C-alpha cells in the first residue's frame, strides 16, 4: 500500500513539474508572438526596417564572390560591394534580427522591395538610405524638425525651434500638430516664458534662460535667493526685509521625536536621529548628550559609561595581581636556600611587574601599583 501511495505521489509531482514547464513555455511563446505582432507608428516602423538593412550591410561589408577566379568575377560581375548577390544576401536576413514588430518589418520590406533595389543600384552613392526610402519614396517620415502630412517646418525652424526651449510635436514624422512641448522651467506657445517656480535669469530678442527659484519659495520669485521669494513654502517663514527664513522646528515648534530620539533641524524641515545606546533619552548625539543613562550604564564625568566594562576591568585586575603574588611566592619557595639568587630573581620579578603595570597605566590612564621611580628603593 505504501509503495502504491509513493508511486502515486511521485507521478503527481512529475505531472505538476511537467505542467508548470509547459505553462512557462506557453507564456514565453505568447510573449514572443506578442512582440513580433507589435505595431509601431509608420515612421518608427520604417526606421526599424532601415536599421535592419544597415546591420545587414555591416555584416556583409567584408564579403566577396564565392569562386575560383575572384578577379575575373569582379571584372564580369562588377564590385561585390554593390552587387546583386550582396543585396540578395542582405534581403534574405532582413528583419530576422528584429524582436518587436518583426511581422510589420517583413510586411514593409515586401512593400518597399523595389524602392530598396532602386536605391541599391542607382542611388547608393548620392542619397542617404533613410531619407531616400522613408521620406522621399515611402513618405512615412519627415525631415528633421518638420511635421504633419505635408512635412511643414516647426515653429522657429531651422535654428530656433520652440526657441530651443522645447520640442515640436510630431517632428520628424508625418504626425503631430507642430505645437511646442516646453522643457522644464519654460511655458508659453513658443516656450518663451518662465514657468511657475522659475525666474528669468537672462533674456534678449532671441534667447531666454529660466532658472529655478530657491526652495524656500512657494511659486514665483524675482531671483535665486530666499529674499526674492514672493511667498514662502512650508517650513519657511516670511520676515519683512529678509524674505523667507528657515523655521527651526526643533526649537520654535517644539517638534517631538519618537522615544530615545533627538531632533535635528534641516532647511525647511527637520529629522529625528536615534540617541546613543548609552542613553535613555538625549538632546544630541553621543554618550555625553544623555538626559539619563540607559540600563547597564552610569554617569561618570558627564558621560554615560558601560558598567560591564568596569566590572570586567576589575576582574582582570584581580587576576593580574594574583598572578604577580603567585610569581613572588613561588620565587621565594623555590630559592629560599639561596638568598642571593632569590634577591636577583626577586628584582627581575619586581621589574617585570613594574613595567607591566606602567604599560597598563599608559593605556588606561590609571596609576600603576608600582612606580618606576621606586624601583631602586626595593630592599636587597
Amino acid at each position: 500500500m505504501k509503495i502504491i501511495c509513493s508511486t502515486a505521489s511521485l507521478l503527481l509531482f512529475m505531472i505538476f513539474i511537467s505542467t508548470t514547464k509547459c505553462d512557462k513555455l506557453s507564456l514565453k511563446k505568447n510573449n514572443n508572438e506578442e512582440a513580433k505582432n507589435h505595431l509601431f507608428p509608420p515612421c518608427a516602423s520604417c526606421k526599424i526596417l532601415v536599421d535592419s538593412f544597415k546591420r545587414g550591410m555591416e555584416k556583409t561589408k567584408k564579403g566577396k564572390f564565392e569562386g575560383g577566379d575572384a578577379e575575373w568575377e569582379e571584372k564580369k560581375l562588377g564590385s561585390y560591394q554593390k552587387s546583386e548577390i550582396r543585396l540578395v544576401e542582405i534581403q534574405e536576413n532582413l528583419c530576422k534580427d528584429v524582436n518587436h514588430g518583426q511581422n510589420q518589418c517583413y510586411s514593409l520590406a515586401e512593400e518597399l522591395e523595389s524602392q530598396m533595389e532602386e536605391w541599391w543600384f542607382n542611388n547608393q552613392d548620392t542619397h542617404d538610405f533613410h531619407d531616400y526610402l522613408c521620406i522621399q519614396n515611402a513618405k512615412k517620415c519627415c525631415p528633421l524638425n518638420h511635421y504633419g502630412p505635408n512635412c511643414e517646418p516647426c515653429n522657429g525652424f531651422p535654428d530656433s525651434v520652440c526657441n530651443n526651449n522645447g520640442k515640436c510635436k510630431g517632428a520628424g514624422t508625418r504626425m503631430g500638430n507642430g505645437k511646442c512641448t516646453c522643457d522644464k522651467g519654460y511655458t508659453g506657445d513658443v516656450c518663451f516664458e518662465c514657468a511657475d517656480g522659475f525666474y528669468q535669469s537672462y533674456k534678449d530678442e532671441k534667447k531666454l534662460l529660466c532658472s529655478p527659484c530657491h526652495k524656500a519659495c512657494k511659486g514665483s520669485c524675482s531671483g535665486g535667493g530666499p529674499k526674492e521669494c514672493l511667498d514662502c513654502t512650508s517650513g519657511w517663514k516670511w520676515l519683512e526685509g529678509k524674505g523667507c527664513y528657515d523655521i527651526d522646528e526643533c526649537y520654535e515648534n517644539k517638534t517631538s521625536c519618537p522615544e530615545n530620539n533627538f531632533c535635528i533641524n534641516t532647511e525647511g524641515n527637520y529629522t529625528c536621529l536615534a540617541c546613543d545606546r548609552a542613553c535613555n533619552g538625549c538632546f544630541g548625539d553621543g554618550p555625553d548628550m544623555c538626559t539619563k543613562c540607559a540600563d547597564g550604564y552610569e554617569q561618570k564625568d558627564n558621560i554615560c559609561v558601560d558598567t560591564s566594562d568596569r566590572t570586567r576591568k576589575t576582574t582582570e585586575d584581580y587576576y593580574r595581581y594574583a598572578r604577580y603574588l603567585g610569581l613572588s611566592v613561588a620565587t621565594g619557595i623555590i630559592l629560599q636556600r639561596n638568598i642571593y639568587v632569590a634577591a636577583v630573581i626577586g628584582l627581575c620579578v619586581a621589574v617585570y611587574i613594574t613595567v607591566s603595570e606602567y604599560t597598563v597605566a599608559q593605556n588606561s590612564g590609571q596609576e600603576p601599583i608600582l612606580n618606576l621611580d621606586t624601583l631602586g628603593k626595593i630592599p636587597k
Side-chain angles (χ1 to χ4, degrees), residues 22-276:
C22 289
D23 289 343
K24 288 183 178 179
L25 290 173
S26 178
L27 180 61
K28 186 176 181 180
K29 183 178 180 181
N30 290 338
N31 288 339
N32 289 339
E33 287 298 319
E34 186 176 343
K36 288 180 179 180
N37 292 323
H38 183 82
L39 294 177
F40 287 95
C43 184
S45 65
C46 194
K47 287 180 180 178
I48 291 172
L49 174 63
V50 168
D51 289 341
S52 180
F53 192 95
K54 287 182 177 179
R55 285 193 292 269
M57 291 179 66
E58 183 67 24
K59 290 179 181 178
T60 58
K61 70 179 182 179
K62 294 183 179 180
K64 59 183 180 179
F65 290 114
E66 300 284 341
D69 192 344
E71 185 177 351
W72 180 87
E73 289 170 337
E74 287 281 351
K75 289 180 179 179
K76 295 294 182 181
L77 302 176
S79 171
Y80 171 81
Q81 297 300 314
K82 298 181 180 180
S83 67
E84 184 177 358
I85 293 176
R86 186 186 178 197
L87 175 61
V88 170
E89 188 177 346
I90 294 171
Q91 288 178 319
E92 284 177 349
N93 295 288
L94 194 59
C95 299
K96 288 183 179 179
D97 56 353
V98 174
N99 294 321
H100 286 74
Q102 187 181 73
N103 292 335
Q104 186 182 25
C105 183
Y106 282 134
S107 177
L108 190 60
E110 185 178 351
E111 176 188 337
L112 301 178
E113 183 177 0
S114 61
Q115 287 93 327
M116 288 190 288
E117 292 177 355
E118 177 66 23
W119 175 83
W120 181 263
F121 293 116
N122 301 316
N123 298 281
Q124 193 174 153
D125 295 329
T126 56
H127 291 76
D128 176 77
F129 186 45
H130 174 267
D131 289 350
Y132 182 86
L133 189 69
C134 298
I135 297 176
Q136 297 179 26
N137 287 277
K139 298 189 183 302
K140 295 185 181 295
C141 299
C142 285
L144 184 66
N145 289 324
H146 288 70
Y147 73 95
N150 300 319
C151 289
E152 300 175 39
C154 294
N155 189 297
F157 179 84
D159 299 324
S160 187
V161 173
C162 298
N163 286 293
N164 296 316
N165 295 324
K167 296 178 179 61
C168 172
K169 289 184 179 179
T173 73
R174 294 185 179 256
M175 303 174 68
N177 55 16
K179 290 185 177 180
C180 292
T181 302
C182 299
D183 297 335
K184 184 178 180 181
Y186 299 88
T187 188
D189 292 339
V190 292
C191 304
F192 210 60
E193 300 173 29
C194 291
D196 196 32
F198 290 78
Y199 70 96
Q200 178 182 302
S201 54
Y202 177 83
K203 186 177 183 180
D204 59 22
E205 293 181 358
K206 296 182 178 180
K207 187 174 182 180
L208 170 70
L209 291 178
C210 297
S211 301
C213 297
H214 192 274
K215 60 183 178 180
C217 302
K218 181 180 180 180
S220 300
C221 61
S222 57
K227 291 183 178 181
E228 284 78 25
C229 299
L230 302 183
D231 194 7
C232 301
T233 191
S234 176
W236 302 78
K237 187 176 180 180
W238 178 263
L239 186 63
E240 193 64 37
K242 294 186 177 180
C244 296
Y245 79 96
D246 177 43
I247 298 173
D248 188 342
E249 286 85 0
C250 300
Y251 176 74
E252 295 186 32
N253 294 352
K254 304 297 181 184
T255 301
S256 60
C257 286
E259 186 177 0
N260 218 27
N261 281 252
F262 64 97
C263 181
I264 292 290
N265 185 58
T266 59
E267 277 196 332
N269 209 335
Y270 71 95
T271 186
C272 293
L273 299 178
C275 296
D276 190 272

Side-chain angles (χ1 to χ4, degrees), residues 337-357:
R337 294 182 180 180
N338 193 327
I339 195 168
Y340 295 107
V341 175
V344 172
I345 294 179
L347 180 62
C348 293
V349 170
V351 171
Y352 166 73
I353 294 174
T354 303
V355 172
S356 298
E357 285 302 307

